[in-house]
Amino acid sequence: MTTKAFVIGHPIAHSRSPLIHGTWLAEHGIDGSYEAIDVAPADLPGFFARLRNGEFAGGNVTIPHKEAVFALCDEVDPLATMIGAVNTLVVRDGKIHGTNTDYLGFLGNLDAAAPGWSDGPNDAMIIGAGGAARAVLVALRRRDGGQVHVLNRTRANAERLVAEIDGPFQAHGFEDFAELAPRIGLVVNTSSIGMHGSRFDWLDMGRLAKSTLVTDIVYTPLETPLLAEAKAQNLRTVDGLGMLLHQAVPGFAAWFGVTPEVTPQLRARVEATLDQ
Ligand code: NAP
């Protein structure tokens, strides 16, 4: 029987997940499908009824449903609860399990592109304190590092975030960047700055140590202004596309029973769609 999976969202046409999972299905010769399904918020309970009836092995959840599905799942992974969003559903014995794979995507991307990145005692800096920052904090607390400094435009949002997630985390406003910079080993941008040509005007990359790794989880454009400035300072950089690719791995493995690989060919196929 064909094993079926999906991504639900509203709208959903922009999703690159069908390309990622379709590539892996073809690569492994699996009798399966992965389709994008537009589900309006009012239709979410009806879609979950289809899921319970066994139509699908599971699927992905994207905007605007990542929070609403909590109430509809039979069980939610504690880390997804901590992150505050479910992006992956797995149906087992008629029960719907919700999880979040973004933190694994973040770790998988850095492990593949910058092996050894979490070795050493350096502090890390996260810029932004929204939903994506929560996933990165959850990822970083799984590695033994130094302090994690969360810098946000609205300092109160950073303070709320570090109060909610247990770990060696401190909240700051952007004005603290210059003082913190010399002891930072990893800079992660999780804010929307960098999208649509917006840029940082307060960040003096010259204050970072030359060994600092700079990564941006924004991947449109692939080379964000932050990464361009880091390269100009000869700092190591990792772009955010790999996070999207790596977060897809656990879902595919759970639905189709094969752990797929993030290959350069897959990356090239997805990269080719970025300016569309
Ligand atoms: P979000 O919850 O809306 O949070 C947005 C963050 O950006 C907040 O900290 C906000 O600060 C800050 N911000 C927005 N505009 C700003 C500006 N002009 N100047 C300074 N700060 C600004 O968004 P999110 O869900 O965390 O997503 C953030 C980005 O991550 C998006 O671009 C998304 O596409 C990307 N993302 C990528 C992946 C991946 O797989 N690579 C996964 C998830 C998300 P305030 O608190 O002050 O408003």
Side-chain angles (χ1 to χ4, degrees):
M1 200 179 75
T2 304
T3 304
K4 289 170 64 180
F6 59 81
V7 54
I8 53 168
H10 184 69
I12 196 60
H14 65 282
S15 174
R16 292 175 177 96
S17 294
L19 174 60
I20 297 170
H21 291 283
T23 299
W24 284 334
L25 284 170
E27 206 171 280
H28 293 281
I30 292 171
D31 179 14
S33 68
Y34 183 100
E35 58 180 315
I37 306 175
D38 195 315
V39 176
D43 299 330
L44 202 54
F47 185 79
F48 266 66
R50 283 173 66 186
L51 259 181
R52 277 206 176 79
N53 285 339
E55 191 177 331
F56 299 97
N60 289 121
V61 179
T62 189
I63 295 165
H65 303 312
K66 286 184 179 191
E67 291 88 22
V69 297
F70 270 90
L72 298 166
C73 288
D74 297 303
E75 197 178 270
V76 175
D77 176 51
L79 288 179
T81 303
M82 200 180 284
I83 293 169
V86 163
N87 75 344
T88 302
L89 301 172
V90 179
V91 185
R92 250 184 264 121
D93 306 324
K95 289 202 163 157
I96 303 169
H97 300 261
T99 183
N100 189 305
T101 62
D102 274 342
Y103 77 96
L104 291 171
F106 176 79
L107 294 174
N109 184 33
L110 290 192
D111 286 344
W117 65 274
S118 59
D119 298 347
N122 287 333
D123 287 7
M125 174 185 287
I126 299 180
I127 300 167
R134 300 182 80 93
V136 173
L137 274 187
V138 165
L140 291 179
R141 73 201 282 277
R142 296 173 74 84
R143 298 291 167 102
D144 291 332
Q147 295 287 309
V148 180
H149 303 277
V150 180
L151 277 68
N152 197 44
R153 172 179 63 181
T154 311
R155 189 187 178 118
N157 291 343
E159 281 166 357
R160 195 173 311 127
L161 179 61
V162 303
E164 282 174 21
I165 301 184
D166 193 30
F169 309 143
Q170 291 172 25
H172 303 266
F174 287 160
E175 66 280 2
D176 291 349
F177 175 82
E179 191 219 318
L180 292 168
R183 63 183 130 120
I184 297 298
L186 172 71
V187 175
V188 186
N189 178 43
T190 72
S191 78
S192 326
I193 308 174
M195 293 182 83
H196 315 300
S198 56
R199 53 193 312 124
F200 296 90
D201 48 17
W202 48 270
L203 197 148
D204 177 4
M205 305 289 276
R207 294 192 57 82
L208 293 165
K210 288 299 169 205
S211 56
T212 306
L213 176 66
V214 179
T215 185
D216 201 325
I217 72 162
V218 171
Y219 56 85
T220 48
L222 200 52
E223 184 171 281
T224 61
L226 178 77
L227 296 182
E229 283 171 38
K231 280 183 186 166
Q233 296 283 340
N234 289 320
L235 301 175
R236 290 184 300 157
T237 62
V238 177
D239 67 48
L241 182 57
M243 177 173 170
L244 175 73
L245 304 176
H246 283 274
Q247 66 76 31
V249 170
F252 190 94
W255 311 317
F256 300 113
V258 175
T259 301
E261 260 189 74
V262 174
T263 60
Q265 292 77 11
L266 174 69
R267 188 186 154 95
R269 288 189 77 176
V270 177
E271 202 177 317
T273 70
L274 287 186
D275 48 6
Q276 290 166 20

